[in-house]
Amino acid sequence: KADTAMYQAKENGRGNLHFYNDAMRNSAAERLAMEKALHYALEKDEFYLVYQPQVNDRGYIIGFEALLRWHNKELGQVSPGRFIPVAEEIGLIGELGQWVLDTACHQLKIWQDAGLPPRFKTLAINISPSQFAKDSFVDTIQDVIERTNIDPNLLDLEITEGMLVESITSVAAKMRSLKEKNVHFSIDDFGTGYSSLRYLQHLPLDQLKIDQSFVRDISSDPNSHVIINTIISMASHMNLSVLAEGVEHGEEKDILMRIGCSRFQGYYFSRPVEVDTATALLLNDAPLPSNMDAKSSITA
Ligand code: C2E
Ligand code: MG
Ligand code: MG
Ligand code: MG
């Protein structure tokens, strides 16, 4: 009996091991394919940006967040959550980040020239940790502003808490130089990192973006409710705006509004949309969620 059990355990063990190896092989192969494809993705023009509306308490667009998309013939659509870490690792994020900056600012200039709706404040761009860490970061931003001729006041750079803990003096210096040019800064995924309040106080920040994990749980988990409440009151003491990310339901928006949040982003209002739809939304200048077919037909 004991023998049988041991035999089975071994069998299972072997089975698992075998399966595990296969999975590893698959993911390693997949990863390799991704690396290879990433190297050519820029020159093959496989990247594009989508834009997700950010809205005020009445649903009017106050900004967009530019989000990177990659479509490769063999791999299909690959999400940034998967390819951005790889791009970081293989040293491609610098070039890719530059492409995002150029493309987003170029588009912003087009919108700026066409005339932005009165409530429109900023186009948000995600900055990767290694982009921000470079000594040339300030120059890079100033350069793209000059080249594309955008109003820097329309630019919102999203950084994460993790980037702030490196060297607070150089972080603050970089931010201040750009702040002098009127560039805005938001902290993305706020609440998931380890930034101390003391740090935040000394940085020229404009906005905290409440991470979507708290928003997702707000109606069910009292802890999330407390955390969001705390973030909102802290932000108000520090004179910062608060934007809630990942708002998927009207109910969440209502709760958030009741506790003092007045800026939102999430599927409830709009998914990230391709550039032409974003332009149409700006021209339309109507509150979201819209009851036009925009919401269901365009997903990116
Ligand atoms: P993030 O900056 O926090 O962006 C928000 C993410 O949440 C986006 O995912 C967006 O599509 C998604 N989202 C928005 N509303 C909702 C909602 O209501 N529910 C849910 N479940 N998700 C929602 P996406 O586009 O897949 O991007 C994932 C992450 O990849 C981003 O998180 C950001 O960290 C990174 N990323 C995207 N584009 C860029 C980029 O151009 N540069 C860099 N460095 N990172 C980027
Ligand atoms: Mg972001
Ligand atoms: Mg976020
Ligand atoms: Mg993020």
Side-chain angles (χ1 to χ4, degrees):
K1 225 180 183 180
D3 277 0
T4 318
M6 198 147 88
Y7 178 75
Q8 275 173 352
K10 265 190 185 162
E11 272 293 84
N12 285 341
R14 254 215 253 117
N16 286 338
L17 195 64
H18 180 68
F19 177 77
Y20 185 55
N21 275 342
D22 267 356
M24 267 180 25
R25 218 172 287 132
N26 279 334
S27 76
E30 206 178 271
R31 154 84 194 220
L32 201 64
M34 208 197 280
E35 277 185 27
K36 271 192 187 164
L38 268 179
H39 278 291
Y40 297 101
L42 268 172
E43 60 188 75
K44 284 164 105 183
D45 215 13
E46 295 177 346
F47 293 110
Y48 60 101
L49 294 179
V50 290
Y51 299 88
Q52 187 175 33
Q54 303 177 323
V55 303
N56 69 11
D57 53 353
R58 292 189 302 139
Y60 283 98
I61 296 181
I62 54 169
F64 284 121
E65 176 174 2
L67 293 160
L68 185 56
R69 293 291 178 266
W70 179 30
H71 185 85
N72 174 269
K73 231 175 163 186
E74 278 76 40
L75 302 171
Q77 200 75 23
V78 189
S79 78
R82 286 179 62 215
F83 72 77
I84 286 177
V86 179
E88 286 257 6
E89 269 177 61
I90 64 177
L92 276 179
I93 199 71
E95 248 184 295
L96 189 51
Q98 187 66 55
W99 183 88
V100 170
L101 275 173
D102 289 347
T103 309
C105 290
H106 175 74
Q107 185 55 47
L108 179 56
K109 171 66 173 162
I110 293 172
W111 286 330
Q112 180 184 305
D113 287 350
L116 289 159
R119 305 167 198 84
F120 191 96
K121 296 182 191 308
T122 52
L123 173 66
I125 301 177
N126 290 283
I127 301 298
S128 76
S130 57
Q131 238 178 330
F132 187 77
K134 280 203 172 143
D135 289 335
S136 54
F137 178 68
V138 173
D139 290 339
T140 299
I141 302 297
Q142 279 174 351
D143 178 67
V144 74
I145 291 169
E146 275 162 34
R147 270 188 294 110
T148 55
N149 207 13
I150 52 161
D151 177 356
N153 191 40
L154 293 170
L155 202 55
D156 176 28
L157 302 181
E158 292 194 4
I159 57 179
T160 53
E161 288 173 274
M163 304 183 197
L164 308 178
V165 297
E166 287 300 305
S167 155
I168 192 66
T169 5
S170 88
V171 166
K174 281 177 187 173
M175 290 177 71
R176 281 200 205 100
S177 332
L178 290 171
K179 195 73 219 168
E180 275 169 28
K181 310 269 179 230
N182 295 320
V183 170
H184 296 258
F185 284 99
S186 293
I187 299 199
D188 203 355
D189 307 334
F190 189 75
T192 60
Y194 303 94
S195 60
S196 85
L197 299 185
R198 193 192 293 265
Y199 274 23
L200 294 184
Q201 211 176 13
H202 294 295
L203 298 174
L205 290 166
D206 297 279
Q207 179 171 264
L208 305 179
K209 296 186 75 178
I210 302 174
D211 189 63
Q212 50 189 62
S213 58
F214 303 119
V215 174
R216 196 179 308 135
D217 295 341
I218 193 168
S219 42
S220 59
D221 179 3
N223 285 328
S224 290
H225 202 287
V226 169
I227 289 169
I228 292 183
N229 249 319
T230 309
I231 294 174
I232 290 173
S233 72
M234 190 185 93
S236 105
H237 283 294
M238 293 170 64
N239 246 322
L240 303 176
S241 305
V242 178
L243 182 147
E245 289 194 279
V247 180
E248 293 186 355
H249 307 283
E251 186 200 6
E252 290 159 358
K253 181 221 169 197
D254 292 340
I255 299 174
L256 286 159
M257 272 192 41
R258 245 179 277 135
I259 57 181
C261 184
S262 54
R263 294 181 176 191
F264 312 94
Q265 182 181 340
Y267 295 170
Y268 172 68
F269 300 96
S270 169
R271 295 201 167 235
V273 295
E274 301 205 6
V275 63
D276 291 347
T277 307
T279 303
L281 288 173
L282 287 180
L283 284 172
N284 195 34
D285 194 25
L288 297 171
S290 81
N291 41 20
M292 308 186 312
D293 57 351
K295 243 183 74 184
S296 52
S297 64
I298 314 114
T299 54

